[in-house]
Amino acid sequence: MAPQYSPMKVEFINPFVTAAVTVFRTMLMCELTRGQIQLKEHSQPDHEISGVIGLSGRAVGTVVLSISREVAISATEAMLGERPDGLNADVVDAIGEVTNMIGGSAKAELEQFAMTLSLPNVISGKNHTVAFPSGATPISIPFTCEWGSVCLDVGLCEVMEPVPT
C-alpha cells in the first residue's frame, strides 16, 4: 500500500525560515529580510543557482535554496575570503555547504519526524527545474539582502500511517 501524506503545515516551514536567517547572519554576516510567503506554482526556482536537499523519514520532501548569481558569489567570498570570478566549483561547494547548514539546523527543530537529509545537490543555469514529491505543494519564501535576492522553497509532507483494512 502506498503511503498517504498529510498537507504541509506551517510548523514544517518555520524551522527552515529561522535556519536560513540564522545561517546567513552567523556564517555570512549578512541579514536576510523575509518577503511575502506564497504557494509555489511551478517547478522552476526563482534564481540561477539552487542548493537542493531531500528529506525522508516520517516527513518527506525537498528544500531548495535558490539564490541569484551575485548572492552566490558574495556568499562564497564571505566564506573563503576571496571573491570568485563567476559560478565556479568554489561557489558550488559554498552554496552546497550553506544549504546543508540550513537543512541540518531545520532538521533539529523537526526532530519528532525522525528525518534524514540527503547530501545537497547544487544546480546552476537559467530555467532549471526541481521536482517536489507528489502531494507536496511547495511554499516559496522570498528574502532580500544587501547582495540581492534569495528564495527558499519548502515542499514537505508528513507521512501518515496506513489505516488497517
Side-chain angles (χ1 to χ4, degrees):
M1 176 182 288
Q4 297 295 310
Y5 302 110
S6 71
M8 188 159 51
K9 301 173 185 170
V10 71
E11 294 86 5
F12 293 163
I13 301 163
N14 290 335
F16 292 99
V17 171
T18 300
V21 169
T22 300
V23 167
F24 268 76
R25 178 183 297 133
T26 60
M27 301 305 294
L28 306 174
M29 307 310 164
C30 181
E31 289 295 324
L32 291 180
T33 302
R34 193 184 84 199
Q36 185 66 40
I37 295 174
Q38 54 201 357
L39 288 176
K40 185 88 175 165
E41 297 182 9
H42 51 81
S43 60
Q44 257 180 353
D46 291 353
H47 302 293
E48 191 172 350
I49 187 164
S50 297
V52 182
I53 53 174
L55 300 111
S56 60
R58 290 194 15 237
V60 298
T62 304
V63 176
V64 180
L65 176 68
S66 174
I67 59 179
S68 66
R69 172 183 283 268
E70 183 56 35
V71 173
I73 290 170
S74 296
T76 304
E77 180 181 18
M79 291 176 80
L80 301 180
E82 185 176 307
R83 188 166 182 84
D85 293 334
L87 297 181
N88 61 23
D90 288 337
V91 175
V92 169
D93 289 346
I95 299 314
E97 185 58 31
V98 169
T99 305
N100 196 43
M101 287 186 279
I102 290 169
S105 179
K107 176 185 178 258
E109 296 293 317
L110 295 166
E111 201 170 284
Q112 71 270 25
F113 297 108
M115 290 191 294
T116 302
L117 272 65
S118 71
L119 292 174
N121 288 308
V122 178
I123 304 168
S124 63
K126 295 185 187 303
N127 303 321
H128 64 273
T129 61
V130 175
F132 289 88
S134 62
T137 301
I139 302 295
S140 186
I141 306 107
F143 295 92
T144 56
C145 68
E146 62 187 276
W147 301 326
S149 56
V150 175
C151 191
L152 189 65
D153 298 332
V154 180
L156 190 61
C157 297
E158 185 175 358
V159 178
M160 304 302 291
E161 295 298 323
V163 178
T165 55

